[in-house]
Amino acid sequence: MRFDVLTIFPDLFTSVLQEGILRRALARELISVRLHDIRDYATDRHRMTDDRPFGGGEGMVMKPEPLAACLRAALGGEAVGRVILLSPRGRPYSQQVAREYAGLSRLVLVCGRYEGVDERFRRHYVDEELSIGDYILTGGELGAMVVIDSVTRLLPGVLGCRDSAANDTFSRGLLKHGQYTRPRVFEGSGVPEVLLSGDHAAIQRYRFLESVRETLQRRPSLLATVQFTAEEKKLLAREGLLEQVQVAAAPEK
Ligand code: 9D3
């Protein structure tokens, strides 16, 4: 998969791409990331990428010509690849959107700064606007990194089967159960006995119930989209959790 990033701060991306899973995905050519410095496409002698808003008001707006020239260079004649503008008024990002992007061969991520980009650039060139959450950032770069990180780990071959994406917190809509490792006793606290028992069916039941309890407590609205098997329902009923789960899953929460 190929990512093209348009930004006035390409250096922000270097550390994120130089460590861990992203570094390995790049080295194995499972992804490529091309950073395009919008400032290289500014035409005036001060290399300005922003200007004051017509009509007045606070802050600055990103000029359309450098953005358009940079995008043209990034696409290199091919009109393939979805053009995504990171923006606080965009569609909310989610694991579902990440899975959708992971099915594409190319993403172009445009990072705005200041108060936003000129509306004509947005209308003529942007396929969709994407927000990473309801809080205010100083620009789109962190959003682009979130997209690159979350999409890359979904690509075939990026994660080993041991930590495969199929096991994720959001893969079936339940939060993950807590995990324990050595030592057996830490600051006076032990490890749940069942995890030491070697009884894999019992461990699986315990973890499933822990997942449901964690989800009920922390994110009950997530339960609305979870499908339980008949066997899981029996287990939940036996633990006195079925009714709570059904209440949490009911609409109008
Ligand atoms: C006063 C109006 N502001 C909108 C709430 C203007 C504004 C603030 C911050 C415009 C752009 C920005 C910079 N943010 C992003 O570029 C951004 C972002 C975000 O702020 N929150 C969540 N997701 C994203 S993706 C890009």
Side-chain angles (χ1 to χ4, degrees):
M1 169 140 198
R2 173 164 169 183
F3 299 94
D4 286 275
V5 182
L6 279 59
T7 172
I8 59 168
F9 295 132
D11 292 346
L12 284 177
F13 290 82
T14 50
S15 65
V16 165
L17 298 173
Q18 274 172 15
E19 306 286 350
I21 287 168
L22 292 185
R23 178 199 179 103
R24 206 178 53 192
L26 281 161
R28 295 164 66 204
E29 295 186 47
L30 298 171
I31 60 167
S32 71
V33 180
R34 308 235 172 129
L35 300 169
H36 305 272
D37 188 342
I38 297 164
R39 197 174 295 281
D40 292 343
Y41 299 86
T43 47
D44 64 303
R45 70 188 177 87
H46 293 109
R47 302 217 302 155
M48 294 276 287
T49 56
D50 62 324
D51 206 339
R52 303 199 322 264
F54 280 123
E58 295 284 291
M60 300 292 269
V61 177
M62 289 186 82
K63 292 166 67 60
E65 311 98 306
L67 282 167
C70 186
L71 180 60
R72 214 167 289 126
L75 289 172
E78 310 150 68
V80 291
R82 203 176 310 183
V83 178
I84 294 160
L85 174 65
L86 282 305
S87 152
R89 57 179 200 185
R91 132 158 111 136
Y93 194 54
S94 64
Q95 190 64 18
Q96 190 182 325
V97 178
R99 282 192 288 260
E100 176 192 328
Y101 290 170
L104 305 175
S105 58
R106 191 164 175 194
L107 282 184
V108 180
L109 300 167
V110 180
C111 306
R113 282 266 150 182
Y114 320 113
E115 290 300 295
V117 308
D118 186 283
E119 184 66 8
R120 293 160 297 179
F121 172 78
R122 191 189 66 75
R123 274 213 308 271
H124 295 175
Y125 292 101
V126 172
D127 294 316
E128 65 183 67
E129 290 179 75
L130 190 72
S131 162
I132 62 161
D134 291 339
Y135 38 77
I136 312 296
L137 302 170
T138 56
E141 283 79 5
L142 285 168
M145 291 180 214
V146 165
V147 171
I148 293 170
D149 188 274
S150 52
V151 170
T152 297
R153 63 184 291 290
L154 293 177
L155 299 176
V158 168
L159 299 184
C161 24
R162 288 197 325 152
D163 47 4
S164 103
N167 251 326
D168 285 351
T169 284
F170 289 109
S171 66
R172 70 169 296 196
L174 290 174
L175 298 182
K176 204 164 173 194
H177 51 83
Q179 302 259 52
Y180 298 84
T181 185
R182 288 186 287 189
R184 288 270 285 260
V185 179
F186 171 69
E187 297 184 353
S189 299
V191 173
E193 206 56 48
V194 60
L195 299 178
L196 311 172
S197 69
D199 180 345
H200 292 292
I203 291 171
Q204 216 181 355
R205 283 194 300 273
Y206 168 81
R207 286 181 164 166
F208 167 73
L209 289 169
E210 282 297 298
S211 279
V212 172
R213 286 192 188 98
E214 292 293 340
T215 310
L216 270 170
Q217 189 143 67
R218 299 168 189 236
R219 301 285 304 279
S221 67
L222 291 179
L223 289 161
T225 59
V226 183
Q227 302 282 354
F228 293 105
T229 66
E231 197 181 338
E232 286 171 341
K233 283 182 188 159
K234 250 167 56 187
L235 194 55
L236 290 171
R238 208 164 69 202
E239 296 291 319
L241 289 169
L242 187 57
E243 197 177 348
Q244 282 179 75
V245 166
Q246 284 166 342
V247 169
E252 313 284 299
K253 285 250 356 172

